[in-house]
Amino acid sequence: MLDCTPKEPLPEDAHTTGKINPVKTCQPVGAMYAALGIHGCLPHSHGSQGCCSYHRMVLSRHFHEPAMASTSSFTEGASVFGGAANLKTAIKNVFAIYDPEIIAVHTTCLSETIGDDIPTIIKQSEIPEGRYVIHANTPSYHGSHITGFANMCKGIVSYLAESDGGPKKEQANIFPGFVNPGDMREIKRIVTEMGVPSIMYPDTTGVMDAPLRETYEMYPRGGATIEAIKDSGNSKMTFSLGAWSSDEAAAALQSKCGVPGVPLRVPIGIRATDDLIMAVKEGFGVDVPESLEVERGQVVDTLIDTHFQYEGKTVALYGDPDILIPLAEFLITMGMVPKYVVTGTPGAKFEKTVNGMLEEGGIEGSRVKAEGDLFDLHQWIKDESVDLLIGNTHGKYIARAEDIPLIRVGFPVFDRAVHPLMPIVGYRGCLRLIEMISSALLERRDRDSLDEDYELIL
């Protein structure tokens, strides 16, 4: 199919009614992932069995862990008359059979099109004492999995966060954004190193990276507890990492409980990590520990030692906006050239932000697009190729067709393992990104070199 991608740009109106190889998936995938970040939670898909199976499959293939969820199991009758009866029955049965602490309901395109009033249905349902049901509206035909993640985060705040009205505690809330469990662990470690207690949610550590145990646990031991989420309304401040995935939840928490939000980028790269550390330092009046200073110094030293391996190399980036923005910033810091940057998630702010960084870095001629797709990216590469691709598994076909090395970063990654456990955030994440980029480019150099140029030391 990729052989049929034309090099010449299509007419302006020829590629506006649909997407070809989209750089996103649907809202419920993100909502389900956010819900799994609550301890003892069973996500519930209010729609057909097929929808729920797809959402679970995408998460399970990326994390190599079971993504447990239930469904309202719509049939033709529910599709015509509404799914209220299905949801009420589902809530009653799920609590009776699977005994979760909380059910997190997310809608699908089918239930959204019908117009089911989820809050009213929940109020009319049989919910055992001490258990909870929350919800988020996540129509599949709007936004992306990042939008769904953000909507569920906002739903968690709306239903669970509370303030006791007293003085705020010397603790921080962290909304980590749509990142892997390994990234969440690293973010918590950095804040803990600075001596600041924190509440992170959603928190999929210990859930989507749970260890193998002697007996099966339907609800792994990780995730943010309901008690901790409730107490987040008493925190001194909230660090929301990622404008698309976290800022709305932080704004809701500030409005509901008076906890001020500090919007930050996902801490990928030196500058974004510096911003997080300085925000913690200034917000809580703590010092930056020597351990973090050492880690930062190692990154700077490594950049000096290896810059000749990637200096001036062109890169095509695609994926989620909250990952691409700080990643592009870090690549510019490394001396690389983000030639093409594409996200499937809507938002004009994306193009403005990335173009601003490129202009600040003195980079001209790059193309940036929100609500784009891999067809756009492939056309651009056919017109003028790049040295490196960075993105999820879906780009491997372009990488093969155009003979370009691919570094797998973001979501989803189906064809490799271990990546959800290995952070790309923080200073440790910087080192990992440098190593992956350098290795990919050096492997390519070795592969293409003549025998007389095949060197032991590069």
Side-chain angles (χ1 to χ4, degrees):
M1 181 180 73
L2 293 184
D3 292 337
C4 299
T5 302
K7 177 181 178 181
E8 299 75 17
L10 295 177
E12 287 294 328
D13 59 346
H15 186 205
T16 57
T17 56
K19 299 298 177 186
I20 305 172
N21 293 342
V23 195
K24 64 174 184 177
T25 186
C26 58
Q27 281 204 51
V29 172
M32 186 179 288
Y33 181 54
L36 288 166
I38 307 174
H39 178 72
C41 179
L42 189 67
H44 182 85
S45 177
H46 187 51
S48 69
Q49 288 184 346
C51 289
C52 186
S53 296
Y54 168 69
H55 307 147
R56 293 181 61 195
M57 176 198 70
V58 172
L59 293 173
S60 295
R61 286 180 172 176
H62 175 82
F63 294 104
H64 299 273
E65 292 287 340
M68 304 305 297
S70 56
T71 174
S72 295
S73 300
F74 276 29
T75 58
E76 291 84 351
S79 301
V80 174
F81 299 108
N86 291 54
L87 183 53
K88 292 176 185 177
T89 302
I91 290 173
K92 179 180 179 180
N93 289 342
V94 165
F95 278 124
I97 299 171
Y98 300 111
D99 194 31
E101 294 184 24
I102 181 172
I103 297 173
V105 180
H106 60 262
T107 56
T108 63
C109 50
L110 184 54
S111 55
E112 284 288 332
T113 302
I114 294 169
D116 280 340
D117 184 357
I118 306 301
T120 299
I121 297 172
I122 291 175
K123 290 177 182 178
Q124 296 172 348
S125 299
E126 296 182 33
I127 302 174
E129 184 71 25
R131 303 304 169 94
Y132 302 85
V133 178
I134 66 175
H135 95 284
N137 292 95
T138 54
S140 305
Y141 45 76
H142 172 74
S144 71
H145 57 287
I146 299 300
T147 315
F149 181 91
N151 287 341
M152 181 56 76
C153 290
K154 187 176 178 181
I156 295 170
V157 169
S158 299
Y159 276 90
L160 299 178
E162 298 175 355
S163 173
D164 59 17
K168 297 300 183 184
K169 298 180 180 179
E170 287 293 314
Q171 65 186 23
N173 301 324
I174 305 173
F175 294 159
F178 195 115
V179 294
N180 286 321
D183 298 311
M184 294 182 183
R185 287 186 187 277
E186 182 65 9
I187 293 168
K188 288 193 290 184
R189 184 192 71 85
I190 290 172
V191 177
T192 300
E193 282 279 295
M194 299 187 71
V196 176
S198 64
I199 298 171
M200 175 180 283
Y201 66 95
D203 181 4
T204 59
T205 62
V207 180
M208 301 311 289
D209 64 351
L212 183 64
R213 301 188 184 276
E214 291 184 2
T215 57
Y216 170 73
E217 296 177 346
M218 184 170 181
Y219 304 106
R221 302 177 190 182
T225 64
I226 294 174
E227 292 73 20
I229 296 172
K230 285 184 175 181
D231 194 40
S232 67
N234 299 312
S235 296
K236 184 176 182 179
M237 63 181 59
T238 300
F239 300 114
S240 60
L241 310 183
W244 276 259
S245 52
S246 300
D247 280 3
E248 286 191 10
L253 185 59
Q254 181 167 348
S255 175
K256 182 180 182 182
C257 301
V259 181
V262 180
L264 298 165
R265 294 174 182 172
V266 174
I268 297 174
I270 294 178
R271 183 179 294 184
T273 303
D274 288 350
D275 290 344
L276 171 61
I277 290 173
M278 294 309 295
V280 176
K281 170 183 167 63
E282 294 168 5
F284 289 87
V286 296
D287 294 327
V288 178
E290 184 181 0
S291 59
L292 294 179
E293 292 181 357
V294 169
E295 291 177 16
R296 189 183 192 279
Q298 289 175 328
V299 176
V300 175
D301 183 62
T302 303
L303 289 172
I304 294 170
D305 293 341
T306 60
H307 74 276
F308 61 91
Q309 297 169 1
Y310 42 74
E311 178 79 27
K313 297 292 185 181
T314 56
V315 192
L317 305 172
Y318 59 95
D320 302 331
D322 289 332
I323 302 298
L324 293 183
I325 289 173
L327 179 57
E329 185 178 64
F330 184 49
L331 294 176
I332 295 171
T333 301
M334 293 172 64
M336 302 184 74
V337 179
K339 186 73 176 175
Y340 310 125
V341 188
V342 180
T343 184
T345 300
K349 181 182 176 182
F350 175 78
E351 295 181 10
K352 181 179 180 181
T353 302
V354 177
N355 281 322
M357 292 190 306
L358 293 169
E359 183 178 350
E360 182 183 343
I363 298 172
E364 300 178 352
S366 295
R367 294 184 176 182
V368 182
K369 188 171 184 179
E371 289 192 90
D373 55 33
L374 292 180
F375 180 84
D376 294 319
L377 183 62
H378 194 195
Q379 277 206 308
W380 297 347
I381 290 174
K382 277 181 172 289
D383 182 56
E384 185 177 353
S385 191
V386 292
D387 298 304
L388 193 64
L389 273 171
I390 301 181
N392 61 42
T393 292
H394 290 291
K396 68 186 293 184
Y397 298 102
I398 295 176
R400 177 167 177 158
E402 303 303 326
D403 193 22
I404 302 171
L406 169 65
I407 294 175
R408 288 160 176 81
V409 168
F411 177 88
V413 176
F414 294 144
D415 59 339
R416 298 291 188 273
V418 187
H419 54 90
L421 284 73
M422 307 299 291
I424 61 171
V425 301
Y427 301 129
R428 291 180 177 179
C430 289
L431 293 176
R432 180 167 179 249
L433 287 169
I434 294 169
E435 189 274 333
M436 289 194 296
I437 291 169
S438 297
S439 295
L441 293 171
L442 292 176
E443 286 286 352
R444 178 57 180 265
R445 176 176 168 179
D446 277 344
R447 193 201 74 176
D448 294 346
S449 66
L450 300 174
D451 288 346
E452 58 268 28
D453 297 326
Y454 192 62
E455 300 174 354
L456 178 64
I457 301 174
L458 295 175

